[in-house]
Amino acid sequence: NKGFDMSLHGVIIQKEDFEWSASLNFSTYKNKVLDLGNKTFIETTRLGAPANDVASQLMVGQPVGTFWGAVYEGIDPENGDAIFADLSGPEGVPDGEFDPVYDKTVIGSANPDFYGGFQTNFIFKNFDLNAFFPFSVGNDVYNTEAFLAGEVQINSFASLRENMWSVENPENASFPKVGSTSFNRSSSYFVQDGSFFRLGTLQFGYSLPTGLVKGIANCRFYFTGTNLFLVKSDDYLGYDPDVSSYGDDPVQRGFDNMSYPQNRSFIVGLDITF
């Protein structure tokens, strides 16, 4: 592993009745698996039934958090099945057809190009305002919920279901026909841009003038909102790309397995110091 973290803080304006300060933290890193003993790869995540296919693995020479699968190239207008790239073959060269043994490759990475957060604070007389904006750029998310869009028992993305191949929609479909088993494998179709920028926290407060109320040293009213807005790539179909369905597991990062999105909350509070 190698990389760097940077933190900047500055008071931009400082006057008797007004102060504005800001902070920025920025991180970037690279990592690579150097040795797996007597193995060249170790499976870390598989798609569930009916695919039961490897979706990520540790590989010598690749970073932790690498997605693995076929390269999606579109839908065959003749039969409604998915088309995958012919990358290799038993002889090491393309042989004219997709082979699930020889034609899989690295299809994405959960590692961002950079990530961090920006915070800004304002104080005007007895009023205060602070906001925090976390962000991440360049990371992929493996959306397993998109994989399940073809399952009759899963009410998944309407946009995918509405654009499935059919006799009436053979040319512009973006999802195989109902009942097709061609998508029963890990592929780049399910790897989506996980970059995001959000307003993580916003707090607005007002403090009563000191000594206004006898016996109270400080009294502050405040309002706090969390997750107030999210900007994400149009490529990402889920609710929230800032997700990891397998928690803090370091080798299973970047999977959105029908995870519940982050909630939005509003809090009104009162701090009193006697």
Side-chain angles (χ1 to χ4, degrees), residues 9-15 18-23 118-122:
H9 175 76
V11 178
I12 301 169
I13 298 175
Q14 189 171 36
K15 295 185 176 181
F18 179 71
E19 181 178 309
W20 174 26
S21 63
S23 300
F118 172 75
Q119 182 165 334
T120 185
N121 304 280
F122 298 90

Side-chain angles (χ1 to χ4, degrees), residues 69-87:
V71 176
Y72 170 78
E73 292 191 328
I75 302 297
D76 188 336
E78 298 296 324
N79 58 26
D81 286 337
I83 301 172
F84 300 105
D86 173 27
L87 303 176

Side-chain angles (χ1 to χ4, degrees), residues 19 27 50 55 77-78 112 122 185 210 253:
E19 181 178 309
S27 299
E78 298 296 324
F122 298 90
R185 60 174 50 91
T210 303
R253 289 176 291 145

Side-chain angles (χ1 to χ4, degrees), residues 4 7 32 48 62 84 115 122 138-139 152 197 204 235 237 244 251 255:
F4 70 87
S7 296
K32 182 168 63 175
Q62 295 293 333
F84 300 105
Y115 66 98
F122 298 90
N139 56 299
V152 295
F197 175 81
F204 176 73
D235 180 57
L237 297 177
S244 182
V251 300
F255 281 88

Side-chain angles (χ1 to χ4, degrees), residues 160-220:
L160 298 184
R161 290 179 176 271
E162 291 169 356
N163 207 25
M164 286 181 170
W165 182 95
S166 67
V167 175
E168 295 79 15
N169 183 34
E171 298 293 337
N172 299 314
S174 63
F175 206 86
K177 65 185 178 182
V178 174
S180 173
T181 60
S182 61
F183 251 16
N184 289 347
R185 60 174 50 91
S186 175
S187 82
S188 60
Y189 184 92
F190 310 115
V191 178
Q192 300 166 0
D193 183 3
S195 302
F196 70 88
F197 175 81
R198 78 163 76 245
L199 175 51
T201 307
L202 177 68
Q203 185 173 96
F204 176 73
Y206 174 76
S207 299
L208 293 178
T210 303
L212 183 64
V213 180
K214 186 177 181 180
I216 295 180
N218 181 67
C219 182
R220 178 175 177 267

